[in-house]
Amino acid sequence: MNKVVYFDNNATTCIAPEVVEAMMPFFGELYGNPSSMHAFGGQVATHLKKAREGAAAFLNCDPDEILFTSCATESDNTAIRGTADFYGKDTKVITTAVEHPAVLQSARRLKAQGHTEIELPVNGVGQIDLDQLRAELKGTKHALVSVMWANNETGTVFPIEKVTEIAKEYGAIMHTDAVQVAGKVPIDVKKVPVDLLAISGHKFHAPKGVGLLYVRKGTKLKPFMLGGHQESARRAGTENVPYIVGLAKACELATAHMADEARALTPLRDKLEAGILATCPNVRVNGDRDNRLPNTLNVSFEYIEGEAIAYHLSDLGICISTGSACASGSLDPSHVIRAMGVPFTAVHGSIRFSLSRYNTMEEVDYVLKELPPVIKNLRDLSPFGPGKGPTTFA
């Protein structure tokens, strides 16, 4: 395969060259343990401190509110289960039906353990009813609200400021999975006063295997990992210094590129969307088209399977996804697409395009050239569709 068009950046991104360069010394001469008392390790601790300060600047918070983790999945688990462990069975967990599995499965485990757990439904564009959130919060003693900032499959951006305001009104703890907005939308935890916020480095050009959890001062949280004093005794284990340094560098680059990246990506996404709608019949755009990330497009092609589309595009060097990368091994339709009430004829034919600052208009043109014949060929082979047989099922 000579040509690769990578449109799966919500799953993972390439590591920026500047990030690789920043990490390299910590694989070589700067290999000391930052917890060591000697100067050789102490110099590494200095770099760790600077990385923490860089990550804090990215979120506009204090450095001691940054908890480095291995990824956002760990951060989400720490936030949700750590809060419930602290407050006990009185904790009511309120989340949404379209969260990442790291949030949904953590919340459902708490339900199995005796906690009250509510998954707010979404409407046809993937947005929750804020009045329903208020109703669920009334009369609660201890509540944890976990609502993602932006959906990983559709790019729908939630009104996180309003959600946080409502949570605070009822004294609830507010957690948000901000994985998909990091590097795309400014995050300021002083303007949006969430208590807990998770991001993952590999979603914005840092390496896989590093993330962070923002923990607002005063937030009660039991440690998720035990066995050491690291991260102010909140997460045991020797810090992954090279990757933490890489994460901090990615934060710096994201801050520098964010506005320009949004201006560049929106026309690419919009041309891709318009081209698909113009050349492929029986297709629908999923999500909130008025409130979404500039890089994400999710579409459903009726009467065919998204997996088949992905396989055929892969043969042409085009990398896309049928949903969350964490659920790619499942043949079940996306829980996000199902929650929005997408018709049965289209729910299995959903695919996601997600772009980054390294993508080009020429790549969009290549996809628009190759995609329509793939869709036509698959539809010709399909036993379903107009005039071919049943298109709805009981």
Side-chain angles (χ1 to χ4, degrees), residues 42-68:
Q43 65 180 333
V44 178
T46 299
H47 288 283
L48 181 61
K49 179 176 181 290
K50 289 180 180 178
R52 196 180 305 278
E53 291 169 351
F58 185 61
L59 302 181
N60 193 22
C61 68
D62 294 335
D64 60 4
E65 293 177 308
I66 296 292
L67 172 61
F68 288 118

mmCIF file of all heavy atoms in Angstrom, residues 42-68:
data_model
loop_
_atom_site.group_PDB
_atom_site.id
_atom_site.type_symbol
_atom_site.label_atom_id
_atom_site.label_comp_id
_atom_site.label_asym_id
_atom_site.label_seq_id
_atom_site.Cartn_x
_atom_site.Cartn_y
_atom_site.Cartn_z
ATOM 1 N N GLY A 42 17.176 13.565 41.034
ATOM 2 C CA GLY A 42 16.565 14.862 41.286
ATOM 3 C C GLY A 42 16.422 15.712 40.039
ATOM 4 O O GLY A 42 15.443 16.460 39.894
ATOM 5 N N GLN A 43 17.384 15.602 39.107
ATOM 6 C CA GLN A 43 17.274 16.388 37.878
ATOM 7 C C GLN A 43 16.073 15.943 37.051
ATOM 8 O O GLN A 43 15.431 16.751 36.373
ATOM 9 C CB GLN A 43 18.561 16.274 37.059
ATOM 10 C CG GLN A 43 18.864 14.883 36.534
ATOM 11 C CD GLN A 43 20.143 14.815 35.724
ATOM 12 O OE1 GLN A 43 20.556 15.806 35.126
ATOM 13 N NE2 GLN A 43 20.779 13.642 35.705
ATOM 14 N N VAL A 44 15.750 14.652 37.132
ATOM 15 C CA VAL A 44 14.567 14.151 36.435
ATOM 16 C C VAL A 44 13.301 14.681 37.108
ATOM 17 O O VAL A 44 12.321 15.044 36.445
ATOM 18 C CB VAL A 44 14.568 12.612 36.389
ATOM 19 C CG1 VAL A 44 13.308 12.083 35.716
ATOM 20 C CG2 VAL A 44 15.801 12.111 35.656
ATOM 21 N N ALA A 45 13.321 14.744 38.432
ATOM 22 C CA ALA A 45 12.184 15.299 39.167
ATOM 23 C C ALA A 45 11.919 16.741 38.753
ATOM 24 O O ALA A 45 10.763 17.190 38.703
ATOM 25 C CB ALA A 45 12.442 15.214 40.667
ATOM 26 N N THR A 46 12.984 17.478 38.437
ATOM 27 C CA THR A 46 12.816 18.857 37.979
ATOM 28 C C THR A 46 12.053 18.914 36.663
ATOM 29 O O THR A 46 11.167 19.759 36.476
ATOM 30 C CB THR A 46 14.190 19.530 37.814
ATOM 31 O OG1 THR A 46 14.869 19.554 39.071
ATOM 32 C CG2 THR A 46 14.043 20.957 37.303
ATOM 33 N N HIS A 47 12.374 18.010 35.753
ATOM 34 C CA HIS A 47 11.655 17.954 34.471
ATOM 35 C C HIS A 47 10.206 17.513 34.675
ATOM 36 O O HIS A 47 9.301 17.996 33.980
ATOM 37 C CB HIS A 47 12.368 17.001 33.519
ATOM 38 C CG HIS A 47 13.662 17.531 33.001
ATOM 39 N ND1 HIS A 47 13.745 18.482 32.008
ATOM 40 C CD2 HIS A 47 14.950 17.243 33.346
ATOM 41 C CE1 HIS A 47 15.011 18.756 31.749
ATOM 42 N NE2 HIS A 47 15.768 18.014 32.547
ATOM 43 N N LEU A 48 9.992 16.605 35.607
ATOM 44 C CA LEU A 48 8.629 16.172 35.931
ATOM 45 C C LEU A 48 7.819 17.347 36.463
ATOM 46 O O LEU A 48 6.648 17.533 36.098
ATOM 47 C CB LEU A 48 8.671 15.031 36.944
ATOM 48 C CG LEU A 48 7.338 14.435 37.379
ATOM 49 C CD1 LEU A 48 6.585 13.838 36.193
ATOM 50 C CD2 LEU A 48 7.553 13.372 38.463
ATOM 51 N N LYS A 49 8.429 18.155 37.285
ATOM 52 C CA LYS A 49 7.767 19.342 37.838
ATOM 53 C C LYS A 49 7.388 20.321 36.720
ATOM 54 O O LYS A 49 6.266 20.859 36.697
ATOM 55 C CB LYS A 49 8.676 20.016 38.860
ATOM 56 C CG LYS A 49 8.119 21.278 39.510
ATOM 57 C CD LYS A 49 9.081 21.794 40.577
ATOM 58 C CE LYS A 49 8.537 23.045 41.266
ATOM 59 N NZ LYS A 49 8.535 24.214 40.356
ATOM 60 N N LYS A 50 8.308 20.537 35.790
ATOM 61 C CA LYS A 50 8.032 21.441 34.672
ATOM 62 C C LYS A 50 6.903 20.894 33.788
ATOM 63 O O LYS A 50 6.060 21.659 33.300
ATOM 64 C CB LYS A 50 9.297 21.637 33.842
ATOM 65 C CG LYS A 50 10.371 22.473 34.537
ATOM 66 C CD LYS A 50 11.603 22.633 33.648
ATOM 67 C CE LYS A 50 12.672 23.464 34.332
ATOM 68 N NZ LYS A 50 13.908 23.580 33.495
ATOM 69 N N ALA A 51 6.878 19.571 33.601
ATOM 70 C CA ALA A 51 5.808 18.962 32.808
ATOM 71 C C ALA A 51 4.461 19.148 33.485
ATOM 72 O O ALA A 51 3.450 19.421 32.833
ATOM 73 C CB ALA A 51 6.103 17.476 32.587
ATOM 74 N N ARG A 52 4.444 19.026 34.796
ATOM 75 C CA ARG A 52 3.202 19.214 35.546
ATOM 76 C C ARG A 52 2.714 20.662 35.405
ATOM 77 O O ARG A 52 1.517 20.922 35.260
ATOM 78 C CB ARG A 52 3.412 18.852 37.014
ATOM 79 C CG ARG A 52 2.117 18.637 37.796
ATOM 80 C CD ARG A 52 2.386 18.270 39.249
ATOM 81 N NE ARG A 52 3.241 17.113 39.375
ATOM 82 C CZ ARG A 52 2.807 15.857 39.293
ATOM 83 N NH1 ARG A 52 1.528 15.610 39.088
ATOM 84 N NH2 ARG A 52 3.650 14.851 39.420
ATOM 85 N N GLU A 53 3.655 21.575 35.459
ATOM 86 C CA GLU A 53 3.304 22.984 35.293
ATOM 87 C C GLU A 53 2.762 23.248 33.888
ATOM 88 O O GLU A 53 1.820 24.028 33.710
ATOM 89 C CB GLU A 53 4.524 23.856 35.567
ATOM 90 C CG GLU A 53 4.958 23.857 37.031
ATOM 91 C CD GLU A 53 6.318 24.493 37.244
ATOM 92 O OE1 GLU A 53 7.011 24.783 36.234
ATOM 93 O OE2 GLU A 53 6.706 24.708 38.414
ATOM 94 N N GLY A 54 3.349 22.580 32.877
ATOM 95 C CA GLY A 54 2.869 22.740 31.513
ATOM 96 C C GLY A 54 1.466 22.192 31.321
ATOM 97 O O GLY A 54 0.624 22.815 30.664
ATOM 98 N N ALA A 55 1.201 21.033 31.900
ATOM 99 C CA ALA A 55 -0.141 20.452 31.810
ATOM 100 C C ALA A 55 -1.152 21.315 32.546
ATOM 101 O O ALA A 55 -2.294 21.484 32.097
ATOM 102 C CB ALA A 55 -0.129 19.038 32.391
ATOM 103 N N ALA A 56 -0.732 21.889 33.674
ATOM 104 C CA ALA A 56 -1.619 22.760 34.444
ATOM 105 C C ALA A 56 -1.962 24.019 33.653
ATOM 106 O O ALA A 56 -3.117 24.487 33.665
ATOM 107 C CB ALA A 56 -0.975 23.117 35.780
ATOM 108 N N ALA A 57 -0.982 24.574 32.955
ATOM 109 C CA ALA A 57 -1.237 25.763 32.143
ATOM 110 C C ALA A 57 -2.246 25.453 31.038
ATOM 111 O O ALA A 57 -3.075 26.299 30.677
ATOM 112 C CB ALA A 57 0.074 26.269 31.543
ATOM 113 N N PHE A 58 -2.200 24.241 30.502
ATOM 114 C CA PHE A 58 -3.120 23.811 29.446
ATOM 115 C C PHE A 58 -4.570 23.843 29.927
ATOM 116 O O PHE A 58 -5.486 24.143 29.154
ATOM 117 C CB PHE A 58 -2.723 22.407 28.997
ATOM 118 C CG PHE A 58 -3.496 21.867 27.844
ATOM 119 C CD1 PHE A 58 -3.486 22.492 26.612
ATOM 120 C CD2 PHE A 58 -4.224 20.689 27.966
ATOM 121 C CE1 PHE A 58 -4.188 21.981 25.530
ATOM 122 C CE2 PHE A 58 -4.924 20.164 26.896
ATOM 123 C CZ PHE A 58 -4.901 20.816 25.681
ATOM 124 N N LEU A 59 -4.774 23.534 31.205
ATOM 125 C CA LEU A 59 -6.125 23.500 31.773
ATOM 126 C C LEU A 59 -6.453 24.743 32.594
ATOM 127 O O LEU A 59 -7.580 24.878 33.070
ATOM 128 C CB LEU A 59 -6.291 22.261 32.662
ATOM 129 C CG LEU A 59 -6.054 20.897 32.019
ATOM 130 C CD1 LEU A 59 -6.290 19.789 33.040
ATOM 131 C CD2 LEU A 59 -6.947 20.694 30.807
ATOM 132 N N ASN A 60 -5.465 25.620 32.781
ATOM 133 C CA ASN A 60 -5.595 26.805 33.632
ATOM 134 C C ASN A 60 -5.936 26.409 35.071
ATOM 135 O O ASN A 60 -6.911 26.869 35.658
ATOM 136 C CB ASN A 60 -6.647 27.781 33.096
ATOM 137 C CG ASN A 60 -6.559 29.146 33.782
ATOM 138 O OD1 ASN A 60 -5.516 29.513 34.330
ATOM 139 N ND2 ASN A 60 -7.650 29.890 33.765
ATOM 140 N N CYS A 61 -5.095 25.545 35.631
ATOM 141 C CA CYS A 61 -5.276 25.106 37.009
ATOM 142 C C CYS A 61 -3.942 25.128 37.732
ATOM 143 O O CYS A 61 -2.910 25.482 37.150
ATOM 144 C CB CYS A 61 -5.890 23.702 37.055
ATOM 145 S SG CYS A 61 -4.790 22.387 36.444
ATOM 146 N N ASP A 62 -3.938 24.774 38.990
ATOM 147 C CA ASP A 62 -2.707 24.699 39.762
ATOM 148 C C ASP A 62 -2.007 23.367 39.481
ATOM 149 O O ASP A 62 -2.674 22.338 39.309
ATOM 150 C CB ASP A 62 -3.002 24.816 41.254
ATOM 151 C CG ASP A 62 -3.545 26.184 41.634
ATOM 152 O OD1 ASP A 62 -3.245 27.149 40.893
ATOM 153 O OD2 ASP A 62 -4.256 26.282 42.640
ATOM 154 N N PRO A 63 -0.677 23.353 39.472
ATOM 155 C CA PRO A 63 0.043 22.103 39.188
ATOM 156 C C PRO A 63 -0.308 20.962 40.136
ATOM 157 O O PRO A 63 -0.337 19.800 39.705
ATOM 158 C CB PRO A 63 1.513 22.516 39.326
ATOM 159 C CG PRO A 63 1.528 23.967 38.979
ATOM 160 C CD PRO A 63 0.245 24.502 39.540
ATOM 161 N N ASP A 64 -0.590 21.273 41.399
ATOM 162 C CA ASP A 64 -0.894 20.182 42.327
ATOM 163 C C ASP A 64 -2.299 19.618 42.133
ATOM 164 O O ASP A 64 -2.700 18.688 42.839
ATOM 165 C CB ASP A 64 -0.661 20.604 43.779
ATOM 166 C CG ASP A 64 -1.508 21.790 44.201
ATOM 167 O OD1 ASP A 64 -2.331 22.250 43.399
ATOM 168 O OD2 ASP A 64 -1.334 22.263 45.348
ATOM 169 N N GLU A 65 -3.047 20.154 41.169
ATOM 170 C CA GLU A 65 -4.351 19.591 40.819
ATOM 171 C C GLU A 65 -4.244 18.602 39.653
ATOM 172 O O GLU A 65 -5.257 18.028 39.234
ATOM 173 C CB GLU A 65 -5.328 20.710 40.452
ATOM 174 C CG GLU A 65 -5.688 21.616 41.628
ATOM 175 C CD GLU A 65 -6.599 22.756 41.235
ATOM 176 O OE1 GLU A 65 -6.269 23.477 40.266
ATOM 177 O OE2 GLU A 65 -7.650 22.948 41.896
ATOM 178 N N ILE A 66 -3.035 18.388 39.164
ATOM 179 C CA ILE A 66 -2.791 17.461 38.054
ATOM 180 C C ILE A 66 -2.351 16.108 38.602
ATOM 181 O O ILE A 66 -1.398 16.010 39.367
ATOM 182 C CB ILE A 66 -1.703 18.002 37.105
ATOM 183 C CG1 ILE A 66 -2.165 19.296 36.431
ATOM 184 C CG2 ILE A 66 -1.318 16.955 36.077
ATOM 185 C CD1 ILE A 66 -3.305 19.120 35.453
ATOM 186 N N LEU A 67 -3.055 15.070 38.184
ATOM 187 C CA LEU A 67 -2.719 13.696 38.550
ATOM 188 C C LEU A 67 -2.406 12.945 37.263
ATOM 189 O O LEU A 67 -3.286 12.719 36.430
ATOM 190 C CB LEU A 67 -3.911 13.051 39.278
ATOM 191 C CG LEU A 67 -3.863 11.563 39.587
ATOM 192 C CD1 LEU A 67 -2.697 11.238 40.504
ATOM 193 C CD2 LEU A 67 -5.171 11.105 40.214
ATOM 194 N N PHE A 68 -1.150 12.587 37.050
ATOM 195 C CA PHE A 68 -0.774 11.872 35.830
ATOM 196 C C PHE A 68 -1.191 10.407 35.926
ATOM 197 O O PHE A 68 -1.015 9.760 36.963
ATOM 198 C CB PHE A 68 0.730 11.977 35.578
ATOM 199 C CG PHE A 68 1.174 13.349 35.135
ATOM 200 C CD1 PHE A 68 2.067 14.094 35.900
ATOM 201 C CD2 PHE A 68 0.688 13.901 33.960
ATOM 202 C CE1 PHE A 68 2.468 15.350 35.492
ATOM 203 C CE2 PHE A 68 1.091 15.167 33.547
ATOM 204 C CZ PHE A 68 1.982 15.898 34.313
#
